[in-house]
Amino acid sequence: MADPFEVRMRFTKQLQQLNASVTATQKAAQYALKYKDMDEDLHSCIVEQLEQNRNMNTRANIMYFIEQFLQLASKDGHVNYVRMMQRDIIRVVDAVAPDDGTGSANVKVVRKVLQGLCNKGFFQQDLVLEIEECLKDRVTKDFSLESPVASDSQAGRPAPKHSTFEDVRQIDRRIEEDRERHKRLRETMWAVPAGPTDKPEWEKLWEETSDWGSDDDLMAKEEREMKEREWSSYCTHYNG
């Protein structure tokens, strides 16, 4: 029989090392399912890391992990993990995006994951809407790390004046992970037709898209300028 302390330590380390890659998520999820007889302990590891880890990116990665983990646990027939997360979801949300403003950058992550969990049937829509209302007060700045445009516009931009080296590393890492998630999302959307007679998504878009014109140039310029302002707001908040 595996040593419970060692199992907890290894799972905790896997949670701390989560990133945007599917491999890291699946490895941690499979480990938790392998030791599902210790499900209460491993579930507590997830909550403890969210509450104790001060790294904004780590909390966001664990939140993304939860969605995939519950889906795998449900397919595996181990609903205890699902039930425990349903029980503690408010505690999880408060840890990922606390109401003191320090988790503002994670509000969109929480919203996205909660909607995904709702769509998969793990949470009721009423609960998600109630949490959404609470999250409205937790966004203190108008910025977005979830936009691939914002990620692309970061290239070559100098660090904010009062940033520490660790601040810059966290920002850069978050941008790269967001870019990777968006890349996977696009691949999923474009890869497979919905049915035997349906066209691939890319072919439908090609047929429906009009030729590029001067109006498109203007819109692209305005969008880029908006993302520049969002990045500036983010840096001001992050170093505030």
Side-chain angles (χ1 to χ4, degrees):
M1 182 177 177
D3 176 48
F5 178 77
E6 183 179 355
V7 171
R8 281 182 59 94
M9 291 295 293
R10 288 187 176 182
F11 186 57
T12 296
K13 186 174 181 180
Q14 289 177 341
L15 292 175
Q16 293 170 342
Q17 295 176 343
L18 284 173
N19 52 46
S21 75
V22 176
T23 303
T25 298
Q26 290 181 341
K27 181 179 178 181
Q30 289 166 0
Y31 188 86
L33 291 173
K34 178 181 179 180
Y35 295 102
K36 55 190 176 186
D37 55 318
M38 304 180 193
D39 53 12
E40 188 73 45
D41 279 341
L42 297 184
H43 171 78
S44 69
C45 287
I46 297 174
V47 178
E48 287 171 8
Q49 276 302 299
L50 288 174
E51 292 181 335
Q52 298 174 10
N53 199 306
R54 297 178 60 86
N55 188 295
M56 173 184 65
N57 296 339
T58 299
R59 285 181 278 157
N61 287 331
I62 294 176
M63 191 70 194
Y64 280 119
F65 162 77
I66 288 172
E67 181 179 358
Q68 302 302 317
F69 175 47
L70 295 191
Q71 189 172 6
L72 292 173
S74 180
K75 288 181 179 179
D76 192 64
H78 194 70
V79 296
N80 277 356
Y81 280 121
V82 177
R83 290 171 181 165
M84 287 185 288
M85 191 55 64
Q86 290 171 336
R87 179 194 68 198
D88 293 334
I89 189 59
I90 302 298
R91 186 176 172 187
V92 166
V93 170
D94 285 340
V96 179
D99 59 6
D100 60 2
T102 59
S104 296
N106 283 342
V107 169
K108 286 194 174 183
V109 174
V110 173
R111 286 174 173 160
K112 184 180 293 185
V113 171
L114 284 178
Q115 193 56 57
L117 291 171
C118 181
N119 293 340
K120 292 178 175 69
F122 294 120
F123 291 98
Q124 295 295 322
Q125 184 68 37
D126 290 347
L127 174 62
V128 173
L129 291 175
E130 184 179 341
I131 296 175
E132 284 270 5
E133 281 299 312
C134 296
L135 290 174
K136 288 181 180 179
D137 298 329
R138 304 189 184 188
V139 181
T140 58
K141 293 289 182 181
D142 182 20
F143 61 83
S144 171
L145 281 176
E146 295 302 306
S147 166
V149 179
S151 299
D152 292 339
S153 65
Q154 160 61 10
R157 184 176 297 135
K161 182 177 180 181
H162 300 294
S163 292
T164 65
F165 179 70
E166 186 61 29
D167 291 337
V168 176
R169 285 185 59 188
Q170 285 196 44
I171 295 170
D172 287 345
R173 181 180 174 186
R174 180 67 169 269
I175 289 171
E176 289 301 319
E177 289 176 350
D178 286 343
R179 183 182 289 119
E180 179 64 25
R181 289 189 178 98
H182 282 288
K183 178 182 176 183
R184 287 209 316 271
L185 180 61
R186 288 195 298 269
E187 290 172 349
T188 302
M189 290 173 58
W190 287 41
V192 183
T197 61
D198 291 333
K199 295 180 180 180
E201 186 71 18
W202 66 267
E203 190 170 336
K204 292 180 183 178
L205 290 172
W206 180 265
E207 293 177 354
E208 296 170 1
T209 302
S210 61
D211 293 336
W212 188 274
S214 57
D215 290 343
D216 297 297
D217 288 326
L218 180 61
M219 289 178 62
K221 180 181 178 181
E222 291 176 348
E223 184 175 0
R224 182 176 182 84
E225 290 174 349
M226 180 184 70
K227 295 305 176 183
E228 291 282 345
R229 290 194 297 269
E230 290 178 351
W231 168 254
S232 178
S233 296
Y234 172 73
C235 292
T236 300
H237 167 77
Y238 193 79
N239 293 281

